[in-house]
Amino acid sequence: MTTLKNNRLAGYRIAILIFSVLALLNLACEAPMEKRAVPAGSIGWATEKMTELMVHDITNPPLAARFYAYACLSAYETIAISNQEYPSFAGFLNKFPSISKPNLETPSPEISSLFALVHTASSMQPSGAELEKFKLTLADSCKSWGYTAQEITDASRYAEEISAQVLNYAQNDQYREISNYPMYQPSEGSGKWYPTPPGYFAPVEPYFNTVRPFTLKAADQFKPFPPVAYSTDPESEFYALMNEVYSLEMNKEQREIAAFWDCNPFALEETGHLMVGIKQISPGGHWMGITAIACEQSNLSFEETIKINCLVSIGLMDGFISCWDEKYRSDRIRPETAIRKIIDPSYQPLLQTPPFPEYLSGHSTISTTAAVILTHFFGEDYQYTDTVEEQYGLGSREFTSFMQASEEASISRLYGGIHYMDAITRGQDQGEEVGNWILKSYQDHLNKTKLH
């Protein structure tokens, strides 16, 4: 009996010892570690995940810009609440309210900023549930930066309260009302836009000009000159523009430029008897990628990085609103349709024609807007390598400035056979107007906040 009793006592002691060791190990895992700075590059990491999901969802270009803008705005406002050097955008953006600080504290505004971006994106994007998986990856990264599970939970809860306020702002931008409008029907008459092969898609976002802009007074604030009038007369200005597209003989580099800047999420490829979608990012996604490259190359702070990302995404949104307002007003025929009708029935452009009217060039508009904003922050002679399209098999290209890149993006539309030259040059003018307006409005906002 004594031996049995002693064995039981020894067993209890061993069990207590094991329990104590496990408890200590658990405490050690949760014990505060030396915290590392949250890398600014994590912002680009998060927006890239948004882009990947947009490719999966075949998100149209204007809508993609809307997603980027609200997600980045959530991230920026999270920083603004705790950092006076980065004032809230309330008073800068149209009808944007002051964001209330959550009742709880965050262990890291930067981590909360990332969670706010991802939470807003997951709430808005059609397949946003996929971003919930990314939150787990983000949590693992936070642990490697020295944060405990409880701190990560607190940072996420803090972020969700800010994101909810930005999402409420987004819900009131009139985008949801678009579904109540009648289905858009192509106009009858010569020179008007009509769906193009191979997909013959319905027009994209014909009512996007009804969405509330972020900074513009109205969608038509910078209403451009009307396009050159349609004409079948060989001596007319329109015929000359059309013939320029038709007769263009391109070299290898021009073809590469057209492919590099294609950014058409609606592109299709024939495979036997099937039409298969080609995975491509939107024009806005390309410029968000360029923004990430520039911020990381310049070793900017987390706060500065999210500010610039936010301003660029706002520029994309207002650029698209401004451009789409003109597209469905002028409703101009695409080169592919006009050339087949007037010159050559067998004509095929190098790139597939996107499903919306021709004038203005959307890529020319938003590329110029983004380039104007980026040039303001990084300078006129900023050299970088654009690797955004590498994962889509298009390699990389070297640029000596953002304006050079935007000019190449613009002329790519002529090389691709999808735009006339006046839509390109006037799109650039439009983009410059929008970009300069955003920068001026932002500076005015900073001046006012300094006075108060």
Side-chain angles (χ1 to χ4, degrees):
M1 287 292 291
T2 302
T3 302
L4 181 60
K5 183 178 180 180
N6 289 338
N7 287 341
R8 286 177 177 173
L9 183 60
Y12 291 148
R13 287 173 177 170
I14 291 171
I16 291 170
L17 178 62
I18 292 172
F19 178 80
S20 300
V21 170
L22 290 174
L24 287 171
L25 286 173
N26 187 57
L27 286 173
C29 290
E30 287 296 313
M33 299 168 56
E34 183 178 351
K35 291 180 171 55
R36 295 167 47 203
V38 177
S42 57
I43 297 165
W45 180 37
T47 55
E48 184 178 355
K49 289 298 177 183
M50 288 183 66
T51 300
E52 290 175 4
L53 193 58
M54 290 180 199
V55 171
H56 172 271
D57 289 341
I58 316 178
T59 303
N60 70 61
L63 186 56
R66 182 173 179 264
F67 292 156
Y68 288 124
Y70 285 115
C72 289
L73 180 58
S74 293
Y76 177 82
E77 288 298 312
T78 306
I79 293 297
I81 283 178
S82 59
N83 191 330
Q84 294 182 351
E85 293 184 12
Y86 292 87
S88 169
F89 281 179
F92 165 45
L93 305 182
N94 294 327
K95 298 184 179 180
F96 185 55
S98 295
I99 298 297
S100 300
K101 184 176 181 180
N103 291 327
L104 63 160
E105 294 296 323
T106 176
S108 168
E110 294 82 8
I111 290 177
S112 289
S113 177
L114 288 171
F115 274 114
L117 187 155
V118 176
H119 183 73
T120 301
S122 66
S123 299
M124 296 186 74
Q125 293 186 240
S127 299
E130 292 295 316
L131 286 174
E132 293 298 320
K133 300 175 184 176
F134 179 65
K135 285 184 180 180
L136 298 177
T137 304
L138 178 56
D140 287 339
S141 296
C142 292
K143 291 177 184 177
S144 72
W145 299 330
Y147 291 85
T148 66
Q150 185 58 54
E151 287 175 324
I152 296 167
T153 298
D154 290 344
S156 179
R157 288 175 56 206
Y158 184 94
E160 287 182 11
E161 290 198 21
I162 295 174
S163 175
Q165 296 177 68
V166 174
L167 286 169
N168 184 61
Y169 174 63
Q171 288 174 356
N172 293 308
D173 71 356
Q174 287 85 56
Y175 183 77
R176 293 189 303 174
E177 280 70 20
I178 286 177
S179 61
N180 297 324
Y181 293 127
M183 183 176 293
Y184 183 89
Q185 297 295 328
S187 303
E188 295 182 2
S190 300
K192 299 298 183 181
W193 175 82
Y194 198 80
T196 50
Y200 294 96
F201 292 115
V204 168
E205 302 290 6
Y207 302 110
F208 203 68
N209 66 338
T210 65
V211 178
R212 178 189 61 211
F214 277 102
T215 68
L216 299 176
K217 294 179 180 179
D220 62 352
Q221 180 177 344
F222 300 111
K223 186 177 178 180
F225 290 111
V228 171
Y230 175 80
S231 175
T232 59
D233 182 355
E235 302 300 319
S236 68
E237 188 176 359
F238 176 83
Y239 199 99
L241 287 171
M242 177 181 58
N243 195 53
E244 179 183 24
V245 178
Y246 175 68
S247 60
L248 186 65
E249 294 183 7
M250 289 178 292
N251 56 36
K252 180 175 179 291
E253 184 180 16
Q254 290 171 323
R255 289 177 176 274
E256 289 175 352
I257 289 171
F260 186 78
W261 293 102
D262 186 7
C263 302
N264 180 6
F266 305 99
L268 295 172
E269 183 176 68
E270 284 192 45
T271 303
H273 299 290
L274 299 175
M275 283 286 185
V276 179
I278 303 171
K279 289 188 175 183
Q280 294 191 90
I281 62 176
S282 68
H286 196 142
W287 280 98
M288 291 301 291
I290 292 172
T291 302
I293 290 170
C295 290
E296 187 167 2
Q297 180 173 297
S298 298
N299 295 314
L300 296 188
S301 67
F302 186 98
E303 295 83 358
E304 196 68 10
T305 297
I306 191 55
K307 180 189 79 175
I308 293 174
N309 271 266
C310 195
L311 288 170
V312 169
S313 61
I314 286 168
L316 296 174
M317 179 66 168
D318 279 4
F320 273 118
I321 289 174
S322 176
C323 179
W324 252 241
D325 177 64
E326 178 56 40
K327 275 187 178 294
Y328 288 93
R329 178 172 37 250
S330 54
D331 191 27
R332 185 161 75 168
I333 192 171
R334 285 281 183 170
E336 177 176 8
T337 309
I339 291 170
R340 285 180 173 180
K341 180 178 181 181
I342 301 172
I343 301 177
D344 181 358
S346 65
Y347 172 75
Q348 283 190 322
L350 178 63
L351 301 181
Q352 284 183 25
T353 302
F356 33 82
E358 190 271 343
Y359 186 89
L360 301 163
S361 161
H363 216 328
S364 303
T365 303
I366 66 98
S367 293
T368 306
T369 296
V372 165
I373 294 171
L374 289 171
T375 299
H376 173 79
F377 289 105
F378 294 99
E380 294 183 359
D381 301 312
Y382 191 87
Q383 299 185 22
Y384 68 97
T385 302
D386 184 346
T387 57
V388 175
E389 297 281 5
E390 281 187 340
Q391 62 180 309
Y392 301 100
L394 294 174
S396 61
R397 293 188 67 79
E398 304 281 340
F399 295 103
T400 58
S401 71
F402 299 110
M403 295 309 298
Q404 182 201 16
S406 71
E407 288 165 5
E408 186 176 282
S410 299
I411 198 64
S412 74
R413 317 323 269 170
L414 176 69
Y415 298 160
I418 59 178
H419 276 294
Y420 311 105
M421 199 62 199
D422 65 335
I424 293 170
T425 56
R426 291 177 183 171
Q428 290 174 307
D429 293 340
Q430 188 84 345
E432 186 174 2
E433 293 269 23
V434 173
N436 286 330
W437 171 260
I438 290 171
L439 291 174
K440 180 185 180 301
S441 301
Y442 177 64
Q443 188 58 53
D444 290 345
H445 174 65
L446 290 181
N447 293 339
K448 289 179 182 177
T449 56
K450 287 177 182 177
L451 290 175
H452 299 324

